[in-house]
Amino acid sequence: MDSVAPKPLGQLGPLTALVIERLLVSDDVAAAKFGTASPIEDPVREAQVLEQVRQQAEAVGVNSQAAVAIFRDQITASKEVQRGLFARWTAHPDEVPTTRPDLSQIRGRLDQLTTALLAELKDTESLRNKPVACSVQLALAEVSGAAQEQLDTLHRQALRTATDSVCRPGGPGDQQSWPLL
């Protein structure tokens, strides 16, 4: 009998699982950058990523404004994790990772996650355009996913940041934000 790791619950469980996986990759990004000249903030790289997301979203039929908003949240959440880990490692040098991951390999993994996230955005578009139902499903997926992955406070907060735009309709010119519940 195969043992399958539990996934976040609900209709947004698969999307949330990918968001959590992307957040956990942020730990490797932080480890790659800590103690080097590589900054946490990289506006040029961020703009490139968001433009690629916009193009990929259009190519697969996902609302590009919604996709860019969601990926902007992903980037913001990643920077939250990196800043939190930098602070932790500065305060507790004994916790600094002993190996430095290769940033180019990490970017390859992030590219794979981008493709998978865009597919999930396409699959969940109808639900995500129903603010109340989306909010309920997102809350279920976030709570169950955070518990299953045993996310610490830093990563739980980053998860909330990373999913901030998931339940916004995201149509052209639509800037309305929907409350969780």
Side-chain angles (χ1 to χ4, degrees):
M1 175 184 229
D2 288 358
S3 173
V4 176
K7 296 289 183 195
L9 301 174
Q11 295 174 36
L12 292 175
L15 176 68
T16 303
L18 291 168
V19 170
I20 290 171
E21 187 175 346
R22 194 177 194 289
L23 279 177
L24 295 175
V25 171
S26 298
D27 291 15
D28 290 336
V29 174
K33 291 180 177 181
F34 188 75
T36 72
S38 295
I40 291 174
E41 299 280 340
D42 188 349
V44 172
R45 173 76 181 146
E46 293 167 22
Q48 291 169 345
V49 168
L50 293 174
E51 177 57 23
Q52 289 170 347
V53 164
R54 185 190 64 70
Q55 291 175 9
Q56 285 181 270
E58 288 174 358
V60 298
V62 172
N63 177 306
S64 62
Q65 285 182 307
V68 167
I70 290 166
F71 275 87
R72 185 174 288 116
D73 292 345
Q74 303 297 304
I75 291 169
T76 300
S78 177
K79 292 187 291 189
E80 284 179 15
V81 168
Q82 291 175 58
R83 282 191 290 273
L85 291 175
F86 274 35
R88 183 181 303 163
W89 296 335
T90 299
H92 304 281
D94 56 307
E95 295 181 17
V96 174
T98 55
T99 60
R100 186 176 312 280
D102 181 348
L103 207 49
S104 65
Q105 289 180 350
I106 294 168
R107 286 184 176 154
R109 181 67 190 128
L110 290 172
D111 289 344
Q112 292 171 341
L113 286 168
T114 295
T115 300
L117 278 163
L118 286 169
E120 279 302 316
L121 291 177
K122 178 75 171 160
D123 290 347
T124 59
E125 191 168 45
S126 176
L127 173 63
R128 291 184 301 100
N129 284 323
K130 297 174 186 165
V132 174
C134 182
S135 295
V136 169
Q137 290 295 317
L138 184 60
L140 174 63
E142 285 180 343
V143 169
S144 62
Q148 290 164 354
E149 290 294 332
Q150 300 179 340
L151 298 182
D152 60 11
T153 302
L154 171 64
H155 290 83
R156 284 175 188 257
Q157 177 57 46
L159 177 58
R160 285 188 291 276
T161 298
T163 58
D164 186 52
S165 297
V166 167
C167 292
R168 293 185 188 172
D174 187 352
Q175 297 299 315
Q176 189 167 4
S177 174
W178 300 99
L180 257 181
L181 288 175

